[in-house]
Amino acid sequence: MLYAILCYHDEDFVGSWSKDQDEAVMKKLAVVQEGLAKQGRLGPVARLLPTTAAATLRKEDPPLVLDGPYAETKEQLLGFYIVDCKNLDEALDVARDLGSANPGGAYEVRPVGVFRPGGNLK
Amino acid sequence: MSEADTAWIETALTSARPQAVGALLRYFRDLDTAEEAFQNACLRALKTWPQNGPPRDPAAWLIMVGRNVAIDEVRRTRKQQPLPEDDQAISDLDDAEGAIAERLDGSHYRDDILRLMFICCHPGLPATQQIALALRIVCGLTVKQIARAFLVSDAAMEQRITRAKAKVAEAGTPFETPGAIERSERLAVVAAMIYLIFNEGYSASGDTAAIRKPLCEEAIRLARLLLRLFQSEPEIMGLTALILLQHARSASRFAADGSLILLDDQDRSLWNGTMIAEGLALIDKAIRHRRSGPYQIQAAIAALHARASTPEETDWAQIDLLYGALEVVQPSPVVTLNRAVAVSKVRGPQAALDLIEPLAPKLANYFHFYGVRGAFLMQLGRNDEARVAFDRAIALANTSAEAAHIRVHLDRLIRDSQPKGANGGARQDAKVKAPR
């Protein structure tokens, strides 16, 4: 079963990390990712730009474009992983491993219904 | 507690600071009291967070604790200081956290942060004091850090900030919720202050660039914060894009010996692609609003440079047009001078020279004017006149990097005017002002 692991964190906090702190976190995350990749369980990984760079299209008639993310929340969606796991427990284990890389925030673990890795992105 | 833990907690405190100090300021109506309350809350955080883990909402925790500590303080000293009536003081910090989120009125926080930034921009304060004050009370930099970035002594900076605070206190702080017009006026003032902070860091020379880089980083942090509070303001998008696109080039702006490297000569592989992507995304969003402004136009110019993977690919015709638009909304001889550089690329050095000739009286003491004029004259083969212009530029240079950059041109001129085979490149002795 494929799981999406959605990373939520306080954007102001993440934006205040020093370059060293940021690099240290990325390094720790890379270790977890490599482990998953070696087992052939790692799908796409994305770190998103700040929510200030986001726009939201509301499906009205005609569709309305708004600035900013879809939801005003205390913690923002900052990135995601697609990982192959046997069950929820295993997916939570992956989230726990990722979580040890940096303090605070939360991971939403969501089973994936449809997955098309193809497209033509390099 | 490990050092790493402390570092993370300090980062959390820094990022919560604008919201927390802003709320405490609204509550106590006095900047010193608000800052002291925040400091006390931070001390408690450093004590309790390592044991209990950080709270879900650090800003709310700090506001609550800061309030309570200050209120306890008042009770202890039995000062009958009237406090707002909506206070439900609880001194038991451990179980306070759960209830905090509901108890705090979240609707205020945008104006709280804007107000905190805005009081730093008191029109009676010189720009450097505004910047220093903002770095101290909004960003939470220490006096030592700010002094270092400004290349002055700690004592001098301490004095500067104290004076600025006194002026702000004297002026009084506007606490009523601003109306729409007032809010947008405040936004414009705060945006200008953020751009000043950025420029203070950006206009460093090679030997001070590293020391002053934090100013650029703080400015970016403030701009993103302001944009997060006011998501649909195209000029704030423009400002954020502009400073991101400029800062993206920081790794390529200075040579190892500290000399300035011009845009055309920069190693573009050193530009920060993620920052450029964010800047371009913001410009894209801003343009959709069809409400142009100086920050957006300048960001659009920076974007055209960022999009060119080689100097030859730069769309100078478009840059010329954008500077033309900037001349309309924000006319200044410096804008025209910048436009002339684009004109020289599109229509040649003579057209560019014609454009800047009328600026001479206004820019008589401006280093860049003579540097640019010299370059145009050189392109036209008028080497003697070019040399005069370059000499003038060196005399007016503010930093050693600026002077050194002009010397390269001069050396080239001298070399070109030597008969072939002779050793060119003899250094001209020109008077150089000591760097600031």
Side-chain angles (χ1 to χ4, degrees):
Chain A
M1 169 70 110
L2 293 183
Y3 285 84
I5 297 180
L6 310 175
C7 321
Y8 285 87
H9 213 316
D10 174 353
E11 197 166 41
D12 287 346
F13 176 59
V14 174
S16 301
W17 290 353
S18 68
K19 198 162 168 279
D20 291 349
Q21 282 175 318
D22 197 293
E23 280 169 4
V25 169
M26 289 304 133
K27 229 179 174 150
K28 284 183 182 163
L29 291 173
V31 173
V32 181
Q33 290 166 31
E34 273 162 34
L36 293 165
K38 274 202 186 100
Q39 301 164 356
R41 297 168 55 202
L42 185 67
V45 175
R47 182 179 184 177
L48 305 174
L49 285 177
T51 58
T52 41
T56 300
L57 185 111
R58 298 205 67 105
K59 296 195 279 185
E60 296 162 20
D61 189 20
L64 177 68
V65 178
L66 298 169
D67 292 298
Y70 168 66
E72 281 278 336
T73 46
K74 282 230 180 299
E75 282 154 336
Q76 292 76 34
L77 174 65
L78 302 185
F80 59 83
Y81 297 83
I82 302 285
V83 188
D84 190 6
C85 302
K86 276 202 214 40
N87 52 33
L88 176 59
D89 274 347
E90 209 172 75
L92 288 169
D93 283 341
V94 173
R96 250 188 292 272
D97 287 346
L98 291 167
S100 64
N102 71 84
Y107 291 104
E108 180 180 333
V109 177
R110 275 271 277 283
V112 174
V114 177
F115 179 63
R116 297 198 185 89
N120 53 3
L121 274 183
K122 291 286 178 288
Chain B
M1 177 166 52
S2 77
E3 246 173 77
D5 276 352
T6 317
W8 282 114
I9 290 175
E10 278 170 358
T11 304
L13 298 176
T14 301
S15 71
R17 184 182 173 101
Q19 191 187 338
V21 177
L24 291 165
L25 175 65
R26 172 168 43 87
Y27 187 71
F28 290 114
R29 313 236 149 174
D30 176 71
L31 185 56
D32 283 332
T33 313
E35 277 204 294
E36 201 174 322
F38 179 75
Q39 286 309 335
N40 283 325
C42 287
L43 291 175
R44 303 230 171 174
L46 284 164
K47 262 191 227 141
T48 58
W49 290 7
Q51 294 150 23
N52 314 347
R56 267 302 291 276
D57 189 343
W61 191 97
L62 291 161
I63 294 166
M64 201 53 141
V65 171
R67 268 189 193 193
N68 292 340
V69 174
I71 291 163
D72 286 348
E73 193 67 28
V74 170
R75 293 210 175 112
R76 240 201 322 277
T77 53
R78 301 219 154 214
K79 252 200 231 138
Q80 289 307 309
Q81 188 180 330
L83 291 166
E85 281 175 17
D86 65 342
D87 162 53
Q88 302 272 319
I90 35 166
S91 302
D92 187 355
L93 301 180
D94 288 338
D95 17 315
E97 196 198 320
I100 282 173
E102 291 84 41
R103 297 153 118 316
L104 283 172
D105 182 1
S107 65
H108 282 296
Y109 82 102
R110 286 194 173 99
D111 285 322
D112 282 347
I113 296 176
L114 184 59
R115 178 187 302 114
L116 189 67
M117 291 185 182
F118 181 67
I119 60 169
C120 301
C121 307
H122 187 287
L125 294 175
T128 50
Q129 279 190 29
Q130 293 185 16
I131 300 173
L133 195 61
L135 290 168
R136 179 71 208 96
I137 69 173
V138 186
C139 304
L141 265 59
T142 61
V143 171
K144 199 183 184 72
Q145 287 170 312
I146 303 167
R148 191 156 175 254
F150 275 88
L151 317 170
V152 298
S153 73
D154 294 10
M157 186 48 77
E158 181 78 59
Q159 210 176 30
R160 206 181 277 183
I161 290 171
T162 308
R163 268 206 303 267
K165 272 189 181 170
K167 193 130 203 170
V168 167
E170 197 185 313
T173 305
F175 284 104
E176 49 300 336
T177 306
I181 291 171
E182 203 177 353
R183 191 177 283 129
S184 71
E185 282 169 355
R186 282 185 196 185
L187 263 176
V189 168
V190 168
M193 182 265 294
I194 293 174
Y195 195 44
L196 279 175
I197 294 179
F198 180 81
N199 270 323
E200 194 66 38
Y202 186 80
S203 58
S205 54
D207 45 357
T208 60
I211 299 179
R212 314 201 86 190
K213 196 176 170 190
L215 296 178
C216 297
E217 287 162 352
E218 289 301 323
I220 288 170
R221 211 160 64 85
L222 289 177
R224 280 185 184 142
L225 173 65
L226 197 60
L227 184 54
R228 228 157 63 69
L229 301 177
F230 302 93
Q231 294 268 12
S232 315
E233 291 291 331
E235 272 296 84
I236 306 299
M237 293 175 203
L239 168 71
T240 313
L242 173 60
I243 62 183
L244 280 164
L245 291 167
Q246 288 182 314
H247 194 57
R249 302 198 296 258
S250 64
S252 63
R253 291 181 61 228
F254 296 102
D257 66 357
S259 60
L260 200 61
I261 303 176
L262 283 192
L263 199 55
D264 274 6
D265 306 325
Q266 286 173 13
D267 176 354
R268 297 186 178 219
S269 67
L270 296 175
W271 291 2
N272 182 318
T274 311
M275 267 186 217
I276 289 174
E278 190 181 343
L280 297 180
L282 289 171
I283 277 292
D284 265 1
K285 278 174 58 167
I287 286 171
R288 296 179 48 88
H289 285 263
R290 306 242 174 282
R291 286 184 5 229
S292 176
Y295 292 122
Q296 290 171 79
I297 298 171
Q298 292 174 83
I301 293 167
L304 285 168
H305 287 300
R307 283 180 202 275
S309 47
T310 62
E312 294 69 38
E313 285 170 52
T314 311
D315 187 346
W316 287 106
Q318 195 65 36
I319 291 174
D320 175 17
L321 289 174
L322 285 166
Y323 273 120
L326 193 57
E327 279 180 315
V328 173
V329 295
Q330 207 179 47
S332 95
V334 174
V335 171
T336 307
L337 185 65
N338 283 324
R339 185 180 171 193
V341 176
V343 167
S344 78
K345 308 268 186 183
V346 182
R347 285 175 275 156
Q350 189 58 54
L353 202 57
D354 294 344
L355 184 62
I356 66 166
E357 258 349 292
L359 305 177
K362 285 183 197 131
L363 297 177
N365 294 316
Y366 190 54
F367 154 84
H368 283 294
F369 175 74
Y370 294 97
V372 168
R373 189 165 184 273
F376 294 158
L377 289 164
M378 202 163 91
Q379 287 165 24
L380 288 164
R382 291 156 64 178
N383 289 357
D384 291 343
E385 290 166 273
R387 188 172 308 180
V388 173
F390 287 142
D391 281 342
R392 182 99 184 94
I394 286 183
L396 290 168
N398 289 314
T399 63
S400 48
E402 284 177 350
H405 171 72
I406 296 291
R407 281 229 181 72
V408 174
H409 278 310
L410 266 177
D411 288 350
R412 200 174 299 160
L413 269 181
I414 295 163
R415 203 172 43 237
D416 291 351
S417 57
Q418 300 278 343
K420 280 219 167 72
N423 282 335
R427 270 276 161 94
Q428 291 243 141
D429 265 333
K431 262 211 160 131
V432 183
K433 272 195 197 164
R436 270 184 305 190

